[in-house]
Amino acid sequence: MVRPALIGFAWSCIIIRMTVKAAVAGATGYAGGELLRLLLAHPDVEIGALTAASSAGTSLGQHQPHLGPLADRLVQETTPETLAGHDVVFLALPHGHSADIAAQLGSDTLVIDLGADHRLVNAADWERWYGGEHAGTWPYGLPELPGGREALRGTKRVAVPGCFPTGGSLALAPAFAAGLVRPEATIVSVTGTSGAGKSLKPHLLGSEVMGSASAYGVGGAHRHTPEFAQNLSAVAGRPVTVSFTPVLAPMPRGILTTATAPLAGDATPHAVRSVYEKAYGDEPFVSVLPEGTWPTTAATVGSNMVLLQVAVDADAGRLVVVAAIDNLTKGTAGAAVQSMNIALDLPETTGLPMTGVAP
Amino acid sequence: MVRPALIGFAWSCIIIRMTVKAAVAGATGYAGGELLRLLLAHPDVEIGALTAASSAGTSLGQHQPHLGPLADRLVQETTPETLAGHDVVFLALPHGHSADIAAQLGSDTLVIDLGADHRLVNAADWERWYGGEHAGTWPYGLPELPGGREALRGTKRVAVPGCFPTGGSLALAPAFAAGLVRPEATIVSVTGTSGAGKSLKPHLLGSEVMGSASAYGVGGAHRHTPEFAQNLSAVAGRPVTVSFTPVLAPMPRGILTTATAPLAGDATPHAVRSVYEKAYGDEPFVSVLPEGTWPTTAATVGSNMVLLQVAVDADAGRLVVVAAIDNLTKGTAGAAVQSMNIALDLPETTGLPMTGVAP
Amino acid sequence: MVRPALIGFAWSCIIIRMTVKAAVAGATGYAGGELLRLLLAHPDVEIGALTAASSAGTSLGQHQPHLGPLADRLVQETTPETLAGHDVVFLALPHGHSADIAAQLGSDTLVIDLGADHRLVNAADWERWYGGEHAGTWPYGLPELPGGREALRGTKRVAVPGCFPTGGSLALAPAFAAGLVRPEATIVSVTGTSGAGKSLKPHLLGSEVMGSASAYGVGGAHRHTPEFAQNLSAVAGRPVTVSFTPVLAPMPRGILTTATAPLAGDATPHAVRSVYEKAYGDEPFVSVLPEGTWPTTAATVGSNMVLLQVAVDADAGRLVVVAAIDNLTKGTAGAAVQSMNIALDLPETTGLPMTGVAP
Amino acid sequence: MVRPALIGFAWSCIIIRMTVKAAVAGATGYAGGELLRLLLAHPDVEIGALTAASSAGTSLGQHQPHLGPLADRLVQETTPETLAGHDVVFLALPHGHSADIAAQLGSDTLVIDLGADHRLVNAADWERWYGGEHAGTWPYGLPELPGGREALRGTKRVAVPGCFPTGGSLALAPAFAAGLVRPEATIVSVTGTSGAGKSLKPHLLGSEVMGSASAYGVGGAHRHTPEFAQNLSAVAGRPVTVSFTPVLAPMPRGILTTATAPLAGDATPHAVRSVYEKAYGDEPFVSVLPEGTWPTTAATVGSNMVLLQVAVDADAGRLVVVAAIDNLTKGTAGAAVQSMNIALDLPETTGLPMTGVAP
């Protein structure tokens, strides 16, 4: 939306303005659509090739009616050729496809994988949860984790976190880092439907979803479970077990995560709070809300924000942290753009909404 | 809805048919409305006085547009006089009002309290969570708990369980009874908005609720927490701590509860499953779903059913149980009617839907 | 839900109780599911064969999780053999399939077609709107239209109306019958998603539907348009043109129809009102609401009711009528059961809910 | 979101960059919140005073949790003093309050009234529909109407259109201007709940709204009716009657308008289409969609776009136009910012999203 305003000053600004040419593979899906919405508003990005699989040859407008400015753009096939010649290539593809494509794009191209291929460090975990051979591990696109930002500076490869581990890991990381809790996390995340993508499955029909809540991947079956454990164990410096349950709720976007762990000692609410405020005080996209205010996913819709609130349950001896994000923005496409900004040494917040669209 | 079909045979059946005259205090609210919907379909009940507070003097149709057959019924004030002369009096009132009214109705009237006044055994708990003096404890209307049914036979006083403890207690009771888990429950319940009633609060506006999920009463602040602990401790035979978090989701009805606890030993999924099938095999309103099938709240809408599924998370060493109910039916009004049936020695399932209204 | 209560009196009632054995073809869809929900509560019906196409061989529970009592019933293939030996056969099939099956079921079987095959009188209309050869016309299952009830008495064939023409025709019929309006109807119906069935189409995904309203079949393209015109022309006694626009809204059930036509003279609101009250005063399933009260679809969910309200717009010179129904109940399955009751000379309201499930 | 990216170049751009200081009265409501969301992204605006009535003294974060960057801003009382010293003052107030405040702000301040006070030309209409004395007429903030843009250039007073007349007027204006239709419009608009604001009314509770559609203000009772007639009569050059029915649907945002009128002659679909493409071909915020594509409100969420599609119903002899907008953006706050841009001779699209947030 910004361009019109800038045009008027182009002659004075253009000389100091670098422009990054970006391609999006998987442009017709929800993650790809959100990515394009953000890139259209990014002052330093020029949108290049838009590619997909079965929809190649159609116009983007047929798939992303909300992206008017790109309605007439042709969707090309996802190949090394169509993706060549870009500074940045975003891969919003089913897992298993990224490694080959990345290999052919060359090491000077910034490749940002929104899929799962390069998130896990442990090959055995990969094979157990996803099957097939592990494609290797790339720098992890969650700069708010300890050391996360540094790992992304100047990198040419980024693995964007899963939508669930984003909120859940940030919800508990400070507590584990400070040794406030025992290494047994119990996490329940209520999610909107867009996380499941556009796949035509009966349980994703509007008639089935509206007015209904349902759990899935229960008992540790969800593929994000090892990613949670990897993140929290790294922060804790020892193995952390994670019981994770996702719950599908009748909303298109948003994840509300309730993350709890047993208190290691008798930390006061005040002490816990100061740990979190210290951990995130300088983070532009993480907000520890004022006491008494609880996060809502609505407040994060379309924004790159993580809204957090903490509580100490003295009776149950547990820390309870609630985190709200937009699964498509901070949970996917926003994290990708944020990682791109860091990798390219652009101001980290460039082109990323800090305000939600509510109500 | 049944009456018309019966009328034709009245002359032959009436002689063996007892009719119970029932009054509903709080007839204009959501709990009262659901109760009346069920009572209209109950072949043994005649609906008597309908009472409320501020709406006294209006017609029920203004408050319950879905209850056509009662549209012209006058709403009276809630007083011992208007409630006198009934076999059963249902109290769907804010907490703190039931004890006085019940005292004046006499010990031969079956009084069923849908509020919280008489659920808790421990007076200190009552004072801490609700404030004021404890009104005493009545038989608890959850027949599916061990000994629950017996406690209700022939009683003249019933305390209907809270909507959250209904599903959550039934989800974990068999595991605690069988000693499968350690006494530390972590429960997250996703609920529809009707549980909050018709109170005009900004966060309950449609614009705020739709497209949003939010937690409340976090960290043990919700009043149902001690009720959970009371139920589970009684079944476990020792104190059980409960970390409970309710999450408001954009649906009018339904509660999906994810209840977990650390496994005490290395119980196999098969062993856990058989414990639950044994516990609930004869229960008309509890269904342990086939393996691989997970409960949805949509399947319970308007019904008195509890849908359950169990999982063992070996990595995290936890039992995870998911339960779905309709908060207004099994969670409130259905439990009240079920308790009435038992107390009056009517067939327990009389007038209670076993089918949901879906999609 | 009624059976348990009846069992106790069976010995006294059974002798005067006829039981109808009913088969449902298309038992795994939304219409079939709603039909089964109603038939389970119908005291005079025994549910026989449940059939479908691709799902043959599976259990009904996999398709209709809300119908617990039928969860273990096997779904058979839809053939004349599986449907033979029933008093009533309900056909909830895609259009084009009913005629052949009905022909093989014999003229003594009551065949109730929930599809479109036999609704239209004019073969040319059929060929234009549906294509292929017209299968003929059956008595139309909308007893509330002038002469509608008589046409159904004792019939062995019933064409259940389309969901849109049900509310829209009843909304305007009295005005046309009384000559209050000119023969140009403009009808806009806001519908829930279940009317589109379980077909896996991208625009029916929850992510697409929630938070969105969209029109379709605009400009007279919707197949229900000629059915509207047929009903209203018959009542008016002259050709009525119908501009019909359906709008998809984010709800699983319900149709809210706004039906307008130019006033022929200067009818007063009072005169219009009395015409409608006279037309529907004796109808058990049509309720002309009190002045100032407007219908909501929520009040009709799961019920067989039509809620109506009328207004006269003197400035625009138009009559405006608003009608609310549940598209699956009165709009489909309820109309089928109501027609069955009439055809079999059972009390018309038997087994049909007059109360909605709200909120 | 843009500022961070600009900061880096501020030293080079600032000299050619004017900044407008804007105050928002009614900052705690939905219209005020949307306005602030847009102004935060407007490169030429500095947000000044935020005022309200009862919430004065609180922080904005308590009312607009999605506007993080303004969370700590104090809400002041709405007085001429607090609003003084701004270049632009936006009034998002209940009707009846704007005239007095505007009078005290002086004629050099650009006052943009999001309320109804200054929309109507005819004082008698005002008195009939709103009551009280007419405050006068201001330039109307719908630049896409014939002559609309010119009327706004350099003005110091703007009356922002009502949310319904925005989409409905643009849907029919070209047809009336071209004489394609007779002067009898029938308009049905399906709207989200945010149009009703944050007022605590029972029918706006989430439990009432979700899963339900309902009409209101039927028969010409809605206050936007005369505004429709004023706009369309002006374009048609003769009196146009308007039958308008709003329908409340379960979504927070969006208006889908179905606007129809009888065809004056036998215009072909192609002819109608070219009239619309010619009328809106150069409009940045109005998109006549490709043939066969129908608007959805979801595609407009958070954007300033109007999505249109036209159809000719030859059987009914009617033109049918469907328009989708976001009631809070193009329907209210976006129109206000667009009008400000024109009035201040800024590029008209500055700070206004052309992409929606979907799904």
Side-chain angles (χ1 to χ4, degrees), chain A residues 30 65 192-195 197-211 249-252, chain C residues 30 65 192-195 197-211 249-252:
Chain A
Y30 289 142
T193 55
S194 58
K198 289 185 177 176
S199 51
L200 295 175
K201 296 174 184 162
H203 76 284
L204 296 177
L205 284 173
S207 299
E208 301 294 319
V209 166
M210 292 185 284
M251 52 192 195
Chain C
Y30 289 143
T193 55
S194 57
K198 289 185 179 178
S199 53
L200 295 175
K201 296 175 184 161
H203 76 284
L204 296 177
L205 285 174
S207 299
E208 300 295 319
V209 166
M210 292 185 285
M251 52 192 196

Side-chain angles (χ1 to χ4, degrees), chain B residues 219-279:
Chain B
H222 195 285
R223 284 167 163 165
H224 286 175
T225 307
E227 191 177 340
F228 270 113
Q230 174 176 298
N231 293 346
L232 296 177
S233 299
V235 176
R238 55 178 173 163
V240 174
T241 64
V242 177
S243 164
F244 171 57
T245 309
V247 175
L248 191 67
M251 51 193 196
R253 289 181 176 229
I255 296 176
L256 190 91
T257 294
T258 301
T260 87
L263 288 163
D266 50 5
T268 64
H270 179 77
V272 170
R273 187 166 188 79
S274 56
V275 164
Y276 276 75
E277 286 172 344
K278 199 158 151 219

Side-chain angles (χ1 to χ4, degrees), chain A residues 171-172 174-176 180-181 186 258-264 267-269 272-273 276 309-314 316-321, chain B residues 218-219 243:
Chain A
L172 289 177
F176 278 114
L180 295 176
V181 291
T186 301
T258 301
T260 87
L263 288 162
T268 64
V272 169
R273 187 167 187 78
Y276 275 75
Q309 186 53 284
V310 297
V312 168
D313 184 336
R318 297 186 80 90
L319 170 71
V320 186
V321 185
Chain B
V218 185
S243 164

Side-chain angles (χ1 to χ4, degrees), chain C residues 313-315, chain D residues 120 122-132 219-221 223 226:
Chain C
D313 185 334
D315 296 324
Chain D
L120 297 182
N122 184 320
D125 281 345
W126 172 266
E127 278 148 34
R128 171 180 169 195
W129 294 95
Y130 292 90
R223 284 167 163 163

Side-chain angles (χ1 to χ4, degrees), chain A residues 52-301:
Chain A
S54 57
S55 330
T58 61
S59 68
L60 191 73
Q62 297 172 48
H63 310 283
Q64 310 286 13
H66 60 299
L67 302 179
L70 297 173
D72 300 332
R73 292 287 298 271
L74 180 74
V75 178
Q76 301 173 270
E77 209 173 327
T78 302
T79 67
E81 293 65 35
T82 54
L83 298 176
H86 295 82
D87 305 302
V88 186
V89 174
F90 293 95
L91 303 176
L93 305 170
H95 66 80
H97 294 61
S98 305
D100 293 354
I101 292 172
Q104 300 177 68
L105 289 175
S107 57
D108 59 342
T109 307
L110 173 55
V111 181
I112 299 180
D113 185 3
L114 284 71
D117 292 16
H118 307 90
R119 294 171 188 163
L120 297 181
V121 172
N122 183 320
D125 281 345
W126 173 266
E127 280 148 34
R128 172 180 169 195
W129 295 96
Y130 293 89
E133 201 188 335
H134 186 222
T137 311
W138 289 357
Y140 192 68
L142 195 51
E144 295 86 356
L145 284 180
R149 190 164 279 109
E150 294 59 37
L152 294 168
R153 295 202 193 292
T155 183
K156 291 298 184 182
R157 295 290 184 267
V158 176
V160 175
C163 55
F164 290 119
T166 297
S169 301
L170 295 179
L172 289 177
F176 278 114
L180 295 176
V181 291
R182 301 211 312 270
E184 304 159 17
T186 301
I187 299 171
V188 177
S189 295
V190 178
T191 181
T193 55
S194 58
K198 289 185 177 176
S199 51
L200 295 175
K201 296 174 184 162
H203 76 284
L204 296 177
L205 284 173
S207 299
E208 301 294 319
V209 166
M210 292 185 284
S212 192
S214 56
Y216 63 102
V218 184
H222 194 284
R223 284 165 162 165
H224 286 175
T225 306
E227 191 177 341
F228 270 114
Q230 173 175 298
N231 293 346
L232 297 177
S233 299
V235 175
R238 57 177 174 164
V240 174
T241 63
V242 177
S243 164
F244 171 58
T245 309
V247 175
L248 191 67
M251 52 192 195
R253 289 180 176 232
I255 296 177
L256 189 91
T257 294
T258 301
T260 87
L263 288 162
D266 50 4
T268 64
H270 178 78
V272 169
R273 187 167 187 78
S274 56
V275 165
Y276 275 75
E277 285 171 344
K278 197 158 152 221
Y280 295 127
D282 298 334
E283 288 297 341
F285 295 120
V286 182
S287 170
V288 180
L289 298 177
E291 284 187 65
T293 305
W294 290 91
T296 70
T297 58
T300 69
V301 170

